[in-house]
Amino acid sequence: MVNRFMFRGIEIQFRFDVTLSMDSTNEIEAPQDMLLDMEITSFFDSAPPLKDGIDIDRKITEFIERHSPLSGNLGERRIVCVTSGGTTVPLERRCVRFIDNFSSGHRGAASTEYFLKAGYGVIFLYRRGSCQPYCRFLPDDPFLECFEFTQESNVQVSESHFEVVKKAISNHHAAIAEGMLLKLPYTTIFEYLQILHKIAVPMRTLGGQGMFYLAAAVSDFYVPWNSMAEHKIQSASGPLDMRLVQVPKMLSMLRKIWAPLAFCISFKLETDSNILLQKADMALQKYKMHAVVANELSTRKDEVVVVTSNERISVKRDKAVAGDDVENHLIKLLVDRHSLYIKAGPDHGA
Amino acid sequence: MVNRFMFRGIEIQFRFDVTLSMDSTNEIEAPQDMLLDMEITSFFDSAPPLKDGIDIDRKITEFIERHSPLSGNLGERRIVCVTSGGTTVPLERRCVRFIDNFSSGHRGAASTEYFLKAGYGVIFLYRRGSCQPYCRFLPDDPFLECFEFTQESNVQVSESHFEVVKKAISNHHAAIAEGMLLKLPYTTIFEYLQILHKIAVPMRTLGGQGMFYLAAAVSDFYVPWNSMAEHKIQSASGPLDMRLVQVPKMLSMLRKIWAPLAFCISFKLETDSNILLQKADMALQKYKMHAVVANELSTRKDEVVVVTSNERISVKRDKAVAGDDVENHLIKLLVDRHSLYIKAGPDHGA
C-alpha cells in the first residue's frame, strides 16, 4: 500500500513496510514514525557540526568499554546517562540572542551523586556553567567567595567554607579519577541531541544494564538552522514576530532505535499542578518511558511523583533529617526498579 | 495646544508645555519624549519588584558618598558604572523559558580592571555567572579545575594554575576591600534597568565626574510582565508564534533625566560589518552619547572603533605585546576624553 503526504512542501510517497536505514530490528509501522524519522534526520542534517565530535566519541566509547562485561576492567557495572541543566535555542547563526530553558542543574547533580553512591558509572551530560556533582552547597561564585589570599602570599580556603569545599573537591575528583564519572558539556539544543545520540548508540551494548535519566530541561521549540538569520536580527521599529517549530521528539527515537533495551526515565516539569500528572501520563504512553518523574516548579525540591504504567508513587524529602534530598529517595526507588527490570529480562521489562 | 494619540488602547490628551514630574530641569519638548516617558513608566510599573532593592540602594549610596568631594573619605574620585554580560527576557511569569543575549562579560570585566588601574571607583553591574574582573584567564570552571585535594587532607591550588589563581584572588579582593569596586548582579532586563536607574540617580551628584560605560548586551525586545503567561507555555501541536515588543530606549532617559551631566559611552555590536558604523552613528545621535564603541562579533577582541560626533578612532590590541588587550587602549582613550570633558565643563561637553 502506497501513502502520500506533504513534508516541507515536497510530496512524499512511502509504503507501510519500509524499515529505517539505521541498524535496528524495530520495524517502522505507522506513517507518524516515518514522519518523525524524517524530521529527526532533517534536524541533525541541518544542525551545525559538533566542534569536538571525535574526542567526545572516544571518551564515551572508552568509558562504556571500561564498564562492560567484556573488558571486565571495572566489572559488569550499570551505567546511567544523567542529563542536566537546560538547552538553548539560537535565534541567529552568529549567535547573539537565544532562547534558554531555566534549570540550575541541581536535580541532575544531586542525582549523579546518589547514582555514584549506588555503584553506577555515570555519564553526566550537563549544560556549561550549571551545577556540578558535589558542588550543590557551595556559594554562587565559589572561586571568589571561598578562597582568600594570605599574608604569606598563598591562596587558602577561608575557614567558614573549609568543610564544604573539601568535600566538593575530594568527592568530585575521586569520582573522575576512579573512572566512575564522565562529564560532557553542552550549550545548544543541537549539541545536546547530537551528544545524546553519541552516548545512546554505544549504550546499546549494555542492554538492560544501561539507563537514561533525562533530567535536562530540553527546548520544545527551535529555529531550524537552515532557516535561521545569518546576522543579528535588527530591532527596527515595531514588534518582533517569531515563528518557532517543535523540536522532534527524540525520546521516541531513543526508545525505539538508539537504545531500545535501556531503562528510561524522563521528567515532566509544570508550573500548574492541575495538569502535571495528566501530562506525565501522556509522556509515559507516548514515549514508552519506564517511568516519568513529575515535578512542579515551586515544590520540586521537596516532592516528586514517579508515574509508571500502573503506579503513582509520591517521593518526599525527609524534612526531619538535616540535609536530606528528595533525590536520595528517588534514586533508591529507581535503582530498585532498574534491578527488577534487569531480573525480568528485556522482553518483560521493555 | 492640545494633542491626542492612542497609547495601549487608551486615548491620551496632552499639551506641549507639560514637564515631567521627575525632578529635572530638562523640559520635555516633543510628543515622542512624552510617549517614551510613558513607555518607561509602564515598563517599570509592570516590572516585578526587585527582591533586595533597599539593600542595593544602601550599597550604591554608601559607595558614591565615600568617593564624593563632600565626604572626602577617598578624595574627589571619578566613578564609572560599567555594565557587563547580557540581560534575559522571561517568556513566562513563573519563569521556565527566557530569551537571552549572548555575552561572556569579558569586555566589561577587562574594562573594569583598567578603570581601577586608572584610579576610578567602579560600580560593576554584571550578569550573574558572567566573567568577573581579574578572572579572565581562569579555566571555565576554576573551582573544580584549579584546586586539588592533598594527601594531608588539605585543599591547595594546583601548581599549573598557581600564578593565575593568585593574581585573580588577590587583585579582586583588594579592589573590594579598598572600597574601589562595588559589584551588583542582575539576571533579567527588569532587574538590569531597575538597578541602572538606582545607580544613575545618585550619580547625578557627581556631575561630570560620573561616567557610564554601557557594555552589557541589553535585550531589544521583551514580553511585558502584565501580558506574560502565568504558567509554562504548552507545546501543543503546531509552531509557537510569539510577539515581542521593543524595550523602551532607556539611554535617552539616562542622558536627559537620570544623570544628564555624566559622561556616557554605549556599545554597538553587530555581526555584519557593513552596517556597523552607520548603526553606531545613529546610536550616537539618537541617544546623545559622548561616544559609541562599535564592535563586530568576530573581531571584537582585537579591534573596536570609537565613534564620536566628529571622529572615528580605530583602537587595536597590540599583537606584538603578549597579553595585551584592546581594553587597555580603549580605556586610556576614554579616560583622556573624560578628562577633557570635565575640563571643558558640563555646558561644553554635554
Side-chain angles (χ1 to χ4, degrees):
Chain A
M1 182 186 150
V2 176
N3 274 262
R4 285 185 178 84
F5 68 103
M6 295 297 286
F7 177 68
R8 295 177 190 265
I10 301 159
E11 194 191 60
I12 308 282
Q13 294 187 5
F14 68 100
R15 293 162 53 96
F16 264 177
D17 56 351
V18 288
T19 52
L20 267 186
S21 59
M22 296 174 77
D23 63 333
S24 159
T25 54
N26 297 51
E27 286 200 5
I28 296 297
E29 288 154 10
Q32 287 87 337
D33 284 339
M34 187 71 188
L35 183 59
L36 176 66
D37 179 49
M38 293 175 70
E39 281 181 1
I40 288 171
T41 304
S42 156
F43 178 90
F44 280 129
D45 283 351
S46 82
L50 274 179
K51 268 183 194 158
D52 40 6
I54 293 167
D55 193 42
I56 293 170
D57 276 331
R58 184 187 51 74
K59 283 181 183 166
I60 295 167
T61 313
E62 282 177 12
F63 188 85
I64 292 173
E65 274 179 3
R66 228 180 7 247
H67 292 264
S68 79
L70 293 172
S71 87
N73 201 334
L74 282 168
E76 184 177 354
R77 219 186 280 265
R78 299 183 192 172
I79 293 183
V80 60
C81 169
V82 174
T83 71
S84 188
T87 63
T88 68
V89 169
L91 298 179
E92 298 137 332
R93 283 198 195 193
R94 306 195 193 180
C95 183
V96 177
R97 278 171 279 218
F98 53 92
I99 296 183
D100 204 345
N101 267 36
F102 169 77
S103 174
S104 65
H106 270 78
R107 174 89 74 212
S111 303
T112 294
E113 296 169 27
Y114 290 108
F115 276 122
L116 288 167
K117 199 174 167 186
Y120 281 63
V122 181
I123 301 177
F124 183 62
L125 179 57
Y126 69 99
R127 165 72 179 274
R128 275 184 192 85
S130 69
C131 186
Q132 295 298 296
Y134 305 111
C135 296
R136 293 178 287 141
F137 304 109
L138 294 168
D140 270 0
D141 188 344
F143 179 79
L144 286 173
E145 291 177 58
C146 297
F147 296 93
E148 55 196 20
F149 192 64
T150 66
Q151 287 187 314
E152 298 79 37
S153 288
N154 216 330
V155 174
Q156 70 177 25
V157 186
S158 58
E159 221 178 283
S160 55
H161 291 105
F162 188 75
E163 279 309 312
V164 69
V165 167
K166 197 179 92 174
K167 265 193 192 166
I169 290 180
S170 61
N171 289 336
H172 190 98
H173 290 341
I176 291 174
E178 289 160 11
M180 297 302 290
L181 175 61
L182 172 65
K183 302 204 305 175
L184 298 171
Y186 68 83
T187 302
T188 68
I189 179 79
F190 300 108
E191 287 172 346
Y192 174 83
L193 289 175
Q194 285 178 98
I195 302 175
L196 185 64
H197 182 226
K198 281 181 183 298
I199 295 167
V201 172
M203 286 267 287
R204 292 185 67 176
T205 61
L206 299 170
Q209 302 280 111
M211 176 169 172
F212 285 86
Y213 179 88
L214 305 160
V218 182
S219 318
D220 296 317
F221 300 101
Y222 80 113
V223 184
W225 191 256
N226 45 18
S227 75
M228 207 180 286
E230 171 78 12
H231 288 294
K232 191 179 168 192
I233 298 164
Q234 292 301 316
S235 57
S237 55
L240 172 69
D241 290 311
M242 282 197 303
R243 169 155 283 207
L244 301 167
V245 304
Q246 280 199 295
V247 171
K249 298 300 182 185
M250 297 290 172
L251 289 186
S252 298
M253 221 53 189
L254 176 66
R255 281 290 292 130
K256 287 185 187 166
I257 314 284
W258 295 351
L261 296 182
F263 191 61
C264 278
I265 315 297
S266 73
F267 280 72
K268 197 78 204 168
L269 173 75
E270 291 292 339
T271 60
D272 184 352
S273 58
N274 296 321
I275 60 167
L276 176 60
L277 291 179
Q278 182 200 341
K279 300 277 291 183
D281 269 329
M282 280 167 57
L284 188 80
Q285 287 164 31
K286 189 167 176 190
Y287 307 119
K288 302 197 167 45
M289 292 289 112
H290 297 101
V292 174
V293 181
N295 56 146
E296 206 213 305
L297 190 64
S298 60
T299 60
R300 70 194 189 282
K301 294 198 171 176
D302 294 319
E303 184 184 2
V304 298
V305 177
V306 176
V307 178
T308 71
S309 57
N310 54 5
E311 287 170 304
R312 287 180 174 188
I313 309 159
S314 170
V315 179
K316 288 180 183 164
R317 178 170 80 82
D318 187 346
K319 291 181 184 176
V321 178
D324 191 45
D325 306 302
V326 67
E327 290 83 3
N328 179 14
H329 308 280
L330 174 62
I331 304 309
K332 269 185 195 147
L333 175 71
L334 293 176
V335 167
D336 283 349
R337 295 303 165 108
H338 189 195
S339 300
L340 291 174
Y341 173 79
I342 294 168
K343 220 171 173 179
D347 295 336
H348 292 87
Chain B
M1 181 185 150
V2 176
N3 274 263
R4 286 186 179 82
F5 69 101
M6 295 296 287
F7 177 69
R8 292 175 194 267
I10 300 159
E11 194 192 60
I12 308 280
Q13 295 186 3
F14 68 98
R15 293 162 53 94
F16 264 179
D17 55 349
V18 287
T19 51
L20 268 184
S21 60
M22 295 174 76
D23 62 333
S24 160
T25 54
N26 297 49
E27 284 201 9
I28 297 300
E29 288 153 9
Q32 288 88 334
D33 284 339
M34 188 71 190
L35 184 60
L36 176 66
D37 180 49
M38 294 174 70
E39 281 180 2
I40 288 172
T41 305
S42 156
F43 179 89
F44 280 129
D45 282 351
S46 82
L50 276 178
K51 268 183 194 158
D52 39 8
I54 292 167
D55 193 41
I56 293 170
D57 277 329
R58 184 187 50 75
K59 284 180 182 166
I60 295 167
T61 312
E62 282 177 12
F63 188 84
I64 293 174
E65 275 179 3
R66 231 182 3 250
H67 291 264
S68 79
L70 293 174
S71 87
N73 203 334
L74 283 168
E76 184 177 352
R77 218 185 280 264
R78 298 183 193 172
I79 294 183
V80 60
C81 169
V82 173
T83 71
S84 188
T87 63
T88 69
V89 169
L91 298 179
E92 299 135 332
R93 284 198 194 192
R94 305 192 195 185
C95 183
V96 176
R97 278 170 280 220
F98 53 91
I99 296 184
D100 205 345
N101 267 37
F102 168 76
S103 174
S104 65
H106 270 77
R107 174 88 75 211
S111 303
T112 294
E113 296 169 25
Y114 290 107
F115 275 122
L116 288 167
K117 200 174 166 188
Y120 281 63
V122 181
I123 301 177
F124 183 62
L125 179 57
Y126 70 98
R127 166 71 179 274
R128 275 185 192 83
S130 68
C131 185
Q132 296 297 298
Y134 305 110
C135 296
R136 291 178 287 142
F137 304 109
L138 294 167
D140 270 359
D141 188 345
F143 179 80
L144 288 173
E145 291 175 60
C146 296
F147 297 93
E148 55 196 21
F149 192 63
T150 65
Q151 287 187 314
E152 299 79 35
S153 288
N154 216 331
V155 174
Q156 69 177 28
V157 186
S158 58
E159 220 177 283
S160 55
H161 291 106
F162 188 74
E163 280 309 313
V164 70
V165 166
K166 197 178 92 174
K167 264 193 194 165
I169 290 180
S170 62
N171 289 336
H172 189 99
H173 289 341
I176 291 175
E178 289 160 10
M180 297 301 290
L181 175 61
L182 173 65
K183 301 204 307 175
L184 297 171
Y186 67 83
T187 302
T188 67
I189 178 80
F190 299 109
E191 288 172 345
Y192 174 82
L193 289 175
Q194 286 178 96
I195 302 175
L196 185 63
H197 182 225
K198 280 181 183 300
I199 295 167
V201 172
M203 286 267 286
R204 292 185 68 179
T205 60
L206 299 170
Q209 302 280 112
M211 177 170 172
F212 285 86
Y213 180 88
L214 304 160
V218 181
S219 319
D220 295 318
F221 300 101
Y222 79 114
V223 184
W225 192 255
N226 46 18
S227 75
M228 206 181 285
E230 172 76 14
H231 288 293
K232 191 179 168 190
I233 298 163
Q234 292 301 317
S235 57
S237 55
L240 172 68
D241 291 311
M242 280 197 304
R243 169 155 282 208
L244 300 167
V245 302
Q246 280 198 295
V247 172
K249 299 299 184 187
M250 296 290 173
L251 289 186
S252 298
M253 221 52 188
L254 176 65
R255 281 290 291 131
K256 286 186 190 165
I257 313 285
W258 295 352
L261 297 182
F263 191 61
C264 278
I265 314 297
S266 72
F267 280 71
K268 196 78 204 168
L269 173 75
E270 292 292 338
T271 60
D272 184 354
S273 58
N274 295 320
I275 60 168
L276 176 61
L277 292 179
Q278 181 198 342
K279 300 276 293 183
D281 268 330
M282 279 166 58
L284 187 81
Q285 286 162 30
K286 189 168 177 191
Y287 308 120
K288 302 197 167 46
M289 293 288 113
H290 297 101
V292 174
V293 181
N295 54 148
E296 206 213 305
L297 191 63
S298 60
T299 59
R300 69 192 188 283
K301 293 196 173 177
D302 294 320
E303 185 184 1
V304 298
V305 178
V306 176
V307 177
T308 70
S309 55
N310 54 5
E311 289 169 302
R312 286 180 175 189
I313 309 160
S314 170
V315 179
K316 287 182 183 162
R317 179 170 79 81
D318 186 348
K319 290 182 184 174
V321 178
D324 191 45
D325 306 301
V326 67
E327 290 83 4
N328 178 14
H329 308 280
L330 174 62
I331 303 308
K332 268 185 197 147
L333 174 70
L334 293 177
V335 167
D336 282 348
R337 295 303 164 109
H338 190 195
S339 299
L340 291 174
Y341 173 79
I342 293 169
K343 221 171 172 178
D347 294 336
H348 292 86

